[in-house]
Amino acid sequence: VADALPTAVAGSGAPGPDDLPPALGSVHRFPFGSPCAVALRSGRVEDVPGDDMGFVQSTLAVPMVAHDTVVGLVQFSRTKGSEPFGERDRGLATELAARAAVCIDNARLYRREHERALILQRSLLPPGDPEAAGLDIACRYLPGNAATEVGGDWFDVIELPGHRTALVVGDVMGRGLRAAVAMGELRTAVRTLALLDLEPAEVLSALDEVARGLGSPGGGERSEGLGGRGGAQWPS
C-alpha cells in the first residue's frame, strides 16, 4: 500500500523493472501520465499493463477513498499465465481498498484526538513539583500502561488564605478529548470554589452540582465524557 500524493512529475508509463520501491515514510511521485497517478487524481480504478521482461501480467491500481478523499493507493498484480482481472475482481479490489481507507482515516483521526487530549491534559496539570508555603511537595503522574488512552485524572495544589493548602486528586470517567475537556472544567471549578474559603465538604457538594450541570441536556456531547449518564465521579 502506497500513501502517495495525487501530484506527479512529468512523464508517462508505469515504473520500470529497475525502479526501487520507495522507502518507508518517503514521498513517492508517480509519472504524471501513469495509471497510478491517474487513479490517485480521479479516484477510479486503473489498469497497469505488464512488461515483457517481468513476471507480472497485469496490475490493478486501486485508489483508497475515505469520505470522498483519496488517502492512498493499493496495487493488485497477477503473474503471467493467470487469468486477467475481471469485473468481479475489480469490485472486490475496490471494496478491500475502501475498507482499508476507512481504517487508515480512523487511525489518523484517533491519533489527532489523542495528541490534542494529551496536550490539553498536560497543560492543565501543575508544572513540575508544585510549590506551597511551608510544604515540600513531590508528585508523579503516570498512566496505567503505555497503551492507555488519555483520561480525565488530575491533581492540583491550591494555596488558601490563612497559610493553608488544598491538595486535590480528581478523576473524570471516560477517555479521550472529551474527558480531558471535562477534567479542565472541573479543575477550574475546584480552584474557584476552594478560593472562596469554603469547607471541603461544601466544596465537594458545590462541585457535585457543577458536575451534574455538565452532564445535563444543556451540556450537549460532553455527557459522554462524564460517563454517559448525566453524572461524574467528582474528586475525593
Side-chain angles (χ1 to χ4, degrees):
V1 176
D3 188 3
L5 298 174
T7 56
V9 297
S12 61
D18 296 331
D19 291 345
L20 295 176
L24 181 64
S26 65
V27 177
H28 179 68
R29 292 179 172 84
F30 293 105
F32 185 82
S34 67
C36 292
V38 173
L40 285 169
R41 290 197 303 270
S42 66
R44 298 191 301 269
V45 180
E46 295 289 332
D47 292 302
V48 182
D51 59 89
D52 296 333
M53 303 298 294
F55 296 98
V56 176
Q57 173 178 278
S58 61
T59 299
L60 288 180
V62 186
M64 305 169 68
V65 183
H67 305 295
D68 298 325
T69 301
V70 177
V71 300
L73 182 76
V74 61
Q75 298 183 37
F76 299 91
S77 299
R78 279 184 172 171
T79 58
K80 291 182 178 180
S82 303
E83 295 183 1
F85 287 110
E87 287 303 317
R88 290 186 60 185
D89 299 321
R90 296 170 70 93
L92 177 60
T94 301
E95 178 68 18
L96 290 174
R99 291 174 181 264
V102 171
C103 293
I104 291 175
D105 191 57
N106 288 341
R108 288 176 173 176
L109 291 174
Y110 168 80
R111 183 181 63 184
R112 285 197 293 266
E113 179 173 316
H114 184 271
E115 290 174 350
R116 291 170 183 169
L118 187 60
I119 292 173
L120 176 61
Q121 185 185 54
R122 288 177 175 174
S123 67
L124 294 174
L125 294 175
D129 289 334
E131 296 181 356
L135 295 177
D136 291 328
I137 301 174
C139 58
R140 193 177 189 190
Y141 188 93
L142 295 174
N145 58 72
T148 301
E149 293 184 50
V150 176
D153 305 330
W154 88 93
F155 66 92
D156 208 350
V157 178
I158 309 171
E159 291 196 73
L160 302 174
H163 302 288
R164 294 174 299 150
T165 301
L167 304 178
V168 183
V169 177
D171 177 18
V172 174
M173 296 178 65
R175 302 288 181 187
L177 185 59
R178 291 177 179 175
V181 170
M183 177 265 281
E185 294 175 338
L186 291 178
R187 176 179 179 268
T188 301
V190 170
R191 294 187 68 89
T192 302
L193 293 168
L195 291 174
L196 293 176
D197 205 16
L198 301 175
E199 291 295 325
E202 295 177 304
V203 171
L204 289 177
S205 178
L207 187 62
D208 185 25
E209 295 300 321
V210 173
R212 293 179 186 277
L214 290 177
S216 66
E221 296 182 343
R222 281 176 287 188
S223 60
E224 181 178 330
L226 295 171
R229 298 194 301 174
Q233 180 177 340
W234 51 86
S236 59

